[in-house]
Amino acid sequence: MTVAGSDSGGGAGIQADLRTFALLGLHGCVAVTAVTVQNSVGVSGFQEIDPGIVAAQMHSVVSDIGVSAVKTGMLASAPIIDAVVTACTELGIGGNAPVPLVVDPVSASMHGDPLLATEALDTLRTNLFPLATLVTPNLDEVRLLTGIEVVDADTQRAAAHALHALGPRWVLVKGGHLRTSAQSPDLLFDGEQFLEFTHERIDTGHDHGAGDTLAAATVCALAHGKSVPDAVEFAKEWVTRGLAAAYPLGAGHGPVNPLWRVSAAPDGETARWPR
């Protein structure tokens, strides 16, 4: 299940999540938190969904269909975050409950447009992070959440420590925005051990929805019973392949393309998990 905002341009948000869910053999359910007005160039506005409706969507799905894993994306405001926290606690999602929770702390679009009220950062840190099985911030979000500017391996480790101190079980400090590196180094930390997942940087301007896609692939792997390190390793490969297959769209940034999975399948057969 994805608890996130809708992208009218189809490149990120619940649209990106559902593409990855489907291509990894999972039925995706949603709790929509906001409706954005955006295209490949940027976000020109958004309308928050009533927090009670967000929570009601979650309760409706879990009470009937059930969920194997949940991710959050754009949560927009402190009242929505609190509604999601309450629903997760009531429904047995995250924390010590059996259903893992991946928190992608979406704070701004790739164009820099704000997607989270500034005052909601404290609510995110204090109320939602302690429920998270894994948090997956990019470097801009790391700076907003911790005040640490990641510029190299040492500051990336310092950021991981600071984020883990906020309560999640695992932290993934993504290195995709570390433009000074020829690699794209993602650092996973559980409070004791560091694991690094690195790929050559894909030279593309079409990377809309990369963070959503990484978190979605991770939550799919967790739903399939993988450990957090194995899930992150799989998701890193998934999003890298999606970046390599990304396509232009509109006048701005095109989307990460999970449809590589279909085109890469032998003899036209649809590829299936866990190839």
Side-chain angles (χ1 to χ4, degrees), residues 195-269:
L195 297 170
E196 188 169 295
F197 304 91
T198 301
H199 271 281
E200 292 293 326
R201 188 175 298 278
I202 303 297
D203 184 16
T204 179
H206 303 305
D207 53 358
H208 188 42
D212 307 82
T213 300
L214 178 75
T218 302
V219 85
C220 286
L222 293 174
H224 278 286
K226 303 296 182 182
S227 67
V228 170
D230 286 347
V232 169
E233 182 178 29
F234 172 79
K236 180 70 170 178
E237 177 70 22
W238 177 266
V239 75
T240 301
R241 297 285 295 269
L243 283 163
Y247 52 88
L249 189 72
H253 295 276
V256 171
N257 182 16
L259 292 171
W260 70 262
R261 188 69 174 234
V262 178
S263 60
D267 303 322
E269 179 189 353

Side-chain angles (χ1 to χ4, degrees), residues 4-269:
S6 170
D7 175 356
S8 54
I14 60 173
Q15 286 78 6
D17 293 341
L18 290 175
R19 281 198 296 271
T20 286
F21 290 177
L23 285 161
L24 289 175
L26 291 169
H27 175 81
C29 297
V30 304
V32 181
T33 60
V35 176
T36 69
V37 181
Q38 68 175 297
N39 53 28
S40 70
V41 176
V43 180
S44 57
F46 66 85
Q47 176 65 56
E48 298 173 21
I49 304 299
D50 181 272
I53 296 297
V54 175
Q57 290 174 83
M58 297 176 67
H59 277 274
S60 180
V61 167
V62 175
S63 65
D64 173 41
I65 299 169
V67 290
S68 299
V70 176
K71 72 169 289 286
T72 65
M74 177 187 179
L75 297 178
S77 70
I80 291 176
I81 295 170
D82 280 333
V84 170
V85 167
T86 300
C88 284
T89 302
E90 294 170 347
L91 295 169
I93 298 167
N96 295 319
V99 178
L101 174 65
V102 174
V103 174
D104 184 12
V106 175
S107 304
S109 75
M110 66 176 298
H111 309 93
D113 305 299
L115 297 176
L116 181 70
T118 303
E119 62 274 15
L121 284 170
D122 281 340
T123 307
L124 193 68
R125 284 186 289 250
T126 303
N127 297 351
L128 186 58
F129 273 29
L131 285 180
T133 307
L134 171 70
V135 296
T136 63
N138 63 35
L139 298 188
D140 295 323
E141 291 155 355
V142 166
R143 185 181 65 255
L144 288 172
L145 290 163
T146 69
I148 296 173
E149 185 83 34
V150 175
V151 296
D152 54 22
D154 288 340
T155 48
Q156 192 176 29
R157 290 193 171 215
H161 276 288
L163 288 162
H164 190 268
L166 297 175
R169 194 179 310 165
W170 293 83
V171 171
L172 182 68
V173 182
K174 298 181 294 190
H177 290 190
L178 194 60
R179 304 298 185 187
T180 57
S181 173
Q183 305 286 317
S184 177
D186 292 355
L187 188 67
L188 183 65
F189 183 55
D190 69 348
E192 296 182 1
Q193 64 173 332
F194 287 100
L195 297 170
E196 188 169 295
F197 304 91
T198 301
H199 271 281
E200 292 293 326
R201 188 175 298 278
I202 303 297
D203 184 16
T204 179
H206 303 305
D207 53 358
H208 188 42
D212 307 82
T213 300
L214 178 75
T218 302
V219 85
C220 286
L222 293 174
H224 278 286
K226 303 296 182 182
S227 67
V228 170
D230 286 347
V232 169
E233 182 178 29
F234 172 79
K236 180 70 170 178
E237 177 70 22
W238 177 266
V239 75
T240 301
R241 297 285 295 269
L243 283 163
Y247 52 88
L249 189 72
H253 295 276
V256 171
N257 182 16
L259 292 171
W260 70 262
R261 188 69 174 234
V262 178
S263 60
D267 303 322
E269 179 189 353

